[in-house]
Amino acid sequence: MQVTYWLEHAWLDTHVEPGVAVETEGGRITAVSRDVPQPPPGATALRGLTVPGLANAHSHAFHRALRSTAQVGSGTFWTWRDVMYGVASRLTPDSYHALARAVYAEMALAGITVVGEFHYVHHAPGGKPYDDPNAMGEALIAAAADAGIRITLLDTAYLASGMLDKHRSAAPEKHQRRFSDGTAQQWAERASLLKDRDHARIGAAVHSVRAVPADQLATVARWAEARTAPLHVHLSEQTAENEACLAAHGCTPTRLLADHGVLGPRTTGIHNTHLTGEDIALLGSTATGTCMCPTTERDLADGIGPAVQLQRAGSPLSLGSDSHAVIDILEEARALELDERLRSRTRGHWTAAALLRTATAGGHQALGWSEAGIIEPGALADLTTIALDTVRTAGPVPRLGAETAVFAASAADVRHTVVGGRHVVRDGVHALVPDVPQALADAIGALHP
């Protein structure tokens, strides 16, 4: 199907251009024409600022059921984790599909066209596999299709509850048993049954150095390498993880991953918060990416990661909403800069254009969709339009649209979302999920006793 979109204002990687016509066919952009002052005959007008589709590089869809509930009282990351386990214990393939469909629809309303789902709830409670051993992963893939967005399912190895010493790890605890395949080899055999499709790609993840014994890390890395697939890993999110790794292995988690072949240009470390100078150099020299999740990192009091130093060292940046305290990639981009300002007490670490690249092309690259994240012929026809006439965005001249989008707009200002040339969100209304708030309320309500 051929569709032409006329972009009132378009961010073309370096600047905002008025009047751009984008022709699409077969889900890809076939032509980009500038200096088009009015919509061509038959074209669909996208009024506002259109950018490449936003990429959410790190998601745990079921964490959306914790929003607000996890804000009651105080506590730590570890007490929050106990609440999370309770929700995870009640998931079934059907309930997870219903929840993820609603969450991914919320993402589409926020302008997100691809999600990286860090998926580790594999089996039934107690650890028994379903008849289809990938029933939970398939539910997520189907949910993304139903919500009209792309997904990279980062099937996650989660085999242990912690490190005992250099050669031993603790068995999974009660709520973690459904996460575990037993060994990395058994994980690889199950994950190999998952297949790419038009809207979905299969990647791998090491949950953390706590959850995968050191002598099994290479198995996961080799699986991803053999498939040229993205490989993600939670890395140094908590100082307790670093301390446990030092006690068991005499090195940092980053060094442990490097020594077992996990780092590299297809690998992305999630959070990368508590790093040494050597860690930063290792990540940069191997071109290992960094996915920052600022709204979750501040919600869980994790800390502010050294994103500036990591990028300077050679680690490409991407963004994720992680626990979904909010789902707003524009807020994640803004927070990257503003959190660094708080820490350094200086301004201007990234331009608005650089932050938009992190939110678009950077995330797509981390998720294995390198043909997306830019508005040019041959790219996937994934577009996000941000209104420039709301109470948050009205006033600035359109040529400052990138600055307006990053430093003033929010997910509520997304007007249109196009995925593969298909209009998934039109004028703020989801075309495939009729009532997203009700779908969220129903799916979340079913998970709370």
Side-chain angles (χ1 to χ4, degrees):
M1 185 175 65
Q2 295 178 327
V3 181
T4 298
Y5 290 97
W6 178 78
L7 317 183
E8 184 181 29
H9 303 282
W11 180 70
L12 300 179
D13 192 51
T14 58
H15 65 287
V16 174
E17 186 108 8
V20 175
V22 173
E23 298 175 38
T24 74
E25 183 175 2
R28 290 185 179 262
I29 297 172
T30 56
V32 177
S33 303
R34 307 185 187 199
D35 299 319
V36 182
Q38 298 296 328
T44 298
L46 303 182
R47 298 192 181 276
L49 173 71
T50 297
V51 304
L54 302 175
N56 188 350
H58 189 64
S59 162
H60 301 290
F62 77 92
H63 288 191
R64 175 61 178 82
L66 299 170
R67 187 182 294 179
S68 297
T69 301
Q71 312 308 322
V72 177
S74 57
T76 67
F77 168 87
W78 307 103
T79 56
W80 168 89
R81 190 178 70 158
D82 290 338
V83 178
M84 178 269 288
Y85 284 158
V87 172
S89 70
R90 292 187 284 274
L91 291 170
T92 67
D94 287 343
S95 66
Y96 207 3
H97 173 268
L99 176 61
R101 172 180 174 268
V103 173
Y104 296 156
E106 181 182 358
M107 290 186 191
L109 290 170
I112 293 163
T113 57
V114 65
V115 60
E117 184 61 40
F118 199 104
H119 167 56
Y120 54 82
V121 188
H122 300 305
H123 308 299
K128 182 180 178 180
Y130 291 102
D131 291 340
D132 174 358
N134 285 305
M136 296 293 269
E138 291 291 349
L140 293 165
I141 291 171
D146 292 346
I149 69 172
R150 306 184 195 277
I151 185 172
T152 296
L153 187 75
L154 297 157
D155 196 278
T156 303
Y158 193 133
L159 310 173
S161 62
M163 298 168 278
L164 296 176
D165 57 38
K166 189 171 184 178
H167 303 291
R168 297 181 304 145
S169 294
E173 297 172 358
K174 176 183 176 182
H175 289 308
Q176 298 167 335
R177 290 173 191 159
R178 70 182 310 189
F179 308 160
S180 176
D181 292 289
T183 68
Q185 183 56 43
Q186 290 171 310
W187 165 84
E189 291 169 2
R190 179 188 53 74
S192 294
L193 300 174
L194 292 161
K195 304 301 179 186
D196 289 356
R197 51 216 81 175
D198 286 346
H199 80 290
R201 293 181 181 173
I202 308 303
V206 169
H207 180 273
S208 58
V209 296
R210 302 191 315 274
V212 178
D215 61 0
Q216 299 187 58
L217 290 169
T219 300
V220 184
R222 285 194 298 267
W223 187 95
E225 183 179 11
R227 290 159 179 76
T228 322
L231 173 61
H232 288 208
V233 54
H234 290 133
L235 179 56
S236 289
E237 180 180 6
Q238 291 287 321
T239 54
E241 175 185 306
N242 291 359
E243 292 162 1
C245 192
L246 285 166
H249 297 284
C251 65
T252 66
T254 302
R255 170 51 70 183
L256 189 68
L257 294 174
D259 290 347
H260 289 83
V262 176
L263 304 186
R266 287 192 312 278
T267 300
T268 298
I270 311 302
H271 304 301
N272 293 0
T273 306
H274 302 286
L275 303 178
T276 66
E278 181 189 6
D279 291 340
I280 293 170
L282 273 172
L283 293 168
S285 64
T286 56
T288 300
T290 295
C291 178
M292 304 298 288
C293 306
T295 63
T296 291
E297 289 150 6
R298 65 194 184 197
D299 181 54
L300 297 180
D302 288 343
I304 301 171
V308 172
Q309 296 96 313
L310 282 161
Q311 188 174 52
R312 286 175 180 167
S315 178
L317 300 181
S318 56
L319 296 166
S321 62
D322 191 2
S323 69
H324 312 315
V326 296
I327 293 177
D328 189 340
I329 295 300
L330 297 175
E331 171 62 23
E332 306 293 346
R334 173 163 56 246
L336 193 65
E337 168 67 24
L338 298 186
D339 287 358
E340 185 62 29
R341 290 182 186 184
L342 284 174
R343 182 169 68 171
S344 66
R345 292 183 291 173
T346 59
R347 304 177 75 221
H349 303 279
W350 293 276
T351 63
L355 292 169
L356 276 179
R357 286 189 207 101
T358 299
T360 55
H364 282 92
Q365 187 68 39
L367 296 176
W369 297 86
S370 59
E371 70 274 47
I374 193 166
I375 301 174
E376 65 177 26
L380 292 173
D382 297 355
L383 307 169
T384 297
T385 302
I386 300 156
L388 296 178
D389 58 359
T390 73
V391 291
R392 287 166 294 277
T393 62
V397 294
R399 66 179 176 81
L400 296 177
E403 286 76 9
T404 301
V406 171
F407 291 106
S410 75
D413 299 308
V414 171
R415 182 171 282 164
H416 303 284
T417 305
V418 174
V419 182
R422 178 172 66 164
H423 218 144
V424 175
V425 173
R426 187 190 298 265
D427 291 319
V429 177
H430 201 290
L432 305 176
V433 182
D435 189 342
V436 178
Q438 190 61 53
L440 285 163
D442 290 345
I444 292 169
L447 293 173
H448 287 287

